[in-house]
Amino acid sequence: MSDYIRIKVRGYHLDQHGHLNIGGYNRFFEEARWSLFENFNAIEFFSKLELTLTLVNSNINFRRACSFNDQLEVHTKVMKIGNTSCRIEQTIFLDGTNKIIADATNTFVLMDNDQHKSVPITGQARDKLAQMANSA
């Protein structure tokens, strides 16, 4: 189970060839990650610790095309919490089916807001990420 949002593919999401290009997929994945973070008040929580979750790597696999008016579900889940990074996995499904449109693996670090350096994931920060990972 995971946190998910629904998105309808609209004309402005498509390029001149009628395809959703990489920018569209990235926007959908980003929207779903923000939704997850908002659902757990993660932005405010880490801000109070003077930390920011920062995307440092993203790998997207494109599985099939999506079209104008398709209804999509973007599932997002914190999958692994390491010493210095965490992995968030995402999958875009054609709504109501098990047809995968695309999937992504994203690596985040916690950045210290003052020093602009990544810091180990410990204490309250680790607990918050674990809460997000165990939400299903």
Side-chain angles (χ1 to χ4, degrees), residues 112-126:
D112 178 288
N113 290 345
D114 291 329
Q115 296 182 13
H116 302 286
K117 291 183 179 180
S118 64
V119 297
I121 301 173
T122 60
Q124 292 177 329
R126 181 175 275 294

Side-chain angles (χ1 to χ4, degrees), residues 18-87:
H19 299 110
L20 183 67
N21 63 29
I22 190 167
Y25 290 96
N26 280 327
R27 281 189 298 277
F28 292 172
F29 283 130
E30 182 78 10
E31 182 67 27
R33 287 192 305 269
W34 273 90
S35 177
L36 173 72
F37 298 156
E38 288 172 347
N39 289 343
F40 285 91
N41 295 316
I43 303 302
E44 295 84 1
F45 178 85
F46 289 117
S47 180
K48 287 178 184 175
L49 297 176
E50 299 190 21
L51 300 170
T52 302
L53 274 170
T54 304
L55 180 67
V56 294
N57 185 275
S58 183
N59 295 296
I60 300 174
N61 298 302
F62 303 98
R63 307 293 182 183
R64 64 177 59 219
C66 57
S67 303
F68 178 67
N69 279 337
D70 279 349
Q71 299 282 341
L72 307 177
E73 283 186 5
V74 186
H75 291 249
T76 304
K77 176 95 171 114
V78 175
M79 295 301 293
K80 181 182 178 193
I81 305 164
N83 294 325
T84 59
S85 65
C86 70
R87 187 178 75 224

